[in-house]
Amino acid sequence: MKAFIMNNNLLSSLMDQIKIVKDRIRGVVHGMYTGMYLFGRPGTSKSHIVRSTLDALAINHKYSNGHLTSIGLFELLQDNHDRVIVIDDISSLFSEPVALQILLAALGNSYDKSNTRWVNYKTAKGDVKIPFTGGIIAISNTSLRGNHKEVLGALKDRIYTIHYEPSNDQVIALIEDIASGGVKGINSVNCKTVCRFLIKECQVRSIRPSVRLFVDKALPDYSQWAAGLTETHWQDLIRSELEQQLVELQHPTTDLGRTEQIDAERRIAYDIYLHFDSLSERIKQWATRTGKSQAAYYRRIKELQSMGEIK
């Protein structure tokens, strides 16, 4: 009971702190300020907080994730000049002086009540100028630092900056809360089982837990095992990921050889059925591709029919 109360208090304190992040997002949405910069360690749900808040506000925003060049950034602003733009992993732009200048222009203040910031880009055909009235929410794992200290300093001066760094205990409380509701088609009981195992193994190895490690790695390992698609146990798979190497197995393995062979034969039979019309040609293709008998082809076709794959 004490552990439950403690975790509940940790989660409550984290949710209270996240309200500051949500208020900054609201400020960008309502045009109170031009942008915000949210940074902190990976796997703590920064992107989820931003996007779920925008979704709750029914804001049709543009989300960008991945490498952006300066021209890519300019085109992003051009195509979404009046929308809230979320740029995930924005630190890739910090080494590009032109991109930083574009950000400075987009995040500056207008000199009238229109809230319009003019953003320029020089091309071979001449200057292109766009009126930007939207907002920018930038997300990163690092603080505003890089080779262009003066420009980054000016950028920091224009936007609200939040260092989002929940404690390990708060992250654990968050993971447990996520698990209690069930995730990705896995019921809450099994989610909690995976959650407890992951947290224990992280603590044994002094690894900082993260929501991403639970949702994007541990749970898929469990799902694959539960679907009968692994030779090794889900706990061994998770331990292998935590150590990022092959580990000594602690659970019995399953032989998938026969099952995978049958699945492969079904896929071949399905492909042949779709692409060849005559029975004689289908049997010929089957024998060529599998070396199996006509009777084996009929078995696979019958299985596909019972599965509803073909009529």
Side-chain angles (χ1 to χ4, degrees), residues 267-277 282 289 297 301 304-305 309-311:
R267 286 191 288 271
I268 293 171
Y270 182 73
D271 184 65
I272 291 172
Y273 180 85
L274 289 182
H275 293 92
F276 298 92
D277 295 327
R282 288 172 178 172
R289 293 177 63 175
Y297 173 74
I301 290 296
L304 289 168
Q305 288 173 336
E309 297 293 331
I310 59 177
K311 295 182 180 179

Side-chain angles (χ1 to χ4, degrees), residues 209-243:
S210 74
V211 174
R212 185 176 295 124
L213 188 57
F214 174 60
V215 174
D216 295 341
K217 293 188 174 182
L219 288 181
D221 279 346
Y222 176 85
S223 292
Q224 187 179 353
W225 171 83
L229 299 175
T230 68
E231 294 186 73
T232 54
H233 194 274
W234 64 270
Q235 292 186 357
D236 289 321
L237 290 171
I238 291 175
R239 289 173 50 246
S240 176
E241 169 57 28
L242 292 176
E243 297 187 17

Side-chain angles (χ1 to χ4, degrees), residues 2 17 27 36 109 116 126 149 169 174 190 236-237 243:
K2 288 184 178 180
Q17 293 168 14
M36 66 168 286
N109 292 315
T116 302
K149 295 182 180 179
D169 288 338
L174 180 58
N190 291 328
D236 289 321
L237 290 171
E243 297 187 17

Side-chain angles (χ1 to χ4, degrees), residues 8-159:
N8 193 44
N9 289 339
L10 287 167
L11 180 63
S12 179
S13 67
L14 179 60
M15 292 299 104
D16 283 344
Q17 293 168 14
I18 288 174
K19 290 176 182 178
I20 295 177
V21 179
K22 291 182 176 181
D23 282 344
R24 292 304 186 203
I25 296 170
R26 292 184 180 100
V28 176
V29 166
H30 296 300
M32 300 298 179
Y33 28 88
T34 58
M36 66 168 286
Y37 183 78
L38 180 66
F39 73 98
R41 78 193 230 204
T44 51
S45 290
K46 296 186 298 296
S47 301
H48 175 73
I49 292 169
V50 171
R51 301 192 71 183
S52 62
T53 302
L54 291 171
D55 288 341
L57 295 171
I59 300 301
N60 184 19
H61 62 282
K62 176 64 177 178
Y63 177 76
S64 174
N65 184 22
H67 179 70
L68 266 182
T69 61
S70 56
I71 184 61
L73 173 62
F74 182 80
E75 290 174 347
L76 181 65
L77 299 179
Q78 186 176 40
D79 294 340
N80 303 276
H81 62 91
D82 59 350
R83 300 170 66 186
V84 173
I85 300 174
V86 179
I87 306 178
D88 213 338
D89 195 19
I90 196 175
S91 57
S92 61
L93 293 175
F94 289 173
S95 60
E96 297 195 31
V98 175
L100 290 175
Q101 292 296 335
I102 291 173
L103 283 174
L104 285 178
L107 293 167
N109 292 315
S110 59
Y111 294 98
D112 54 36
K113 296 180 180 180
S114 68
N115 196 33
T116 302
R117 288 89 70 194
W118 290 94
V119 184
N120 300 315
Y121 192 84
K122 290 184 178 294
T123 69
K125 297 180 180 180
D127 292 354
V128 180
K129 190 175 184 180
I130 58 171
F132 185 69
T133 58
I136 297 176
I137 299 175
I139 306 171
S140 177
N141 296 332
T142 61
S143 62
L144 282 170
R145 61 174 183 268
N147 298 327
H148 306 278
K149 295 182 180 179
E150 294 79 6
V151 180
L152 286 171
L155 184 62
K156 186 176 181 179
D157 191 51
R158 281 167 164 76
I159 58 177

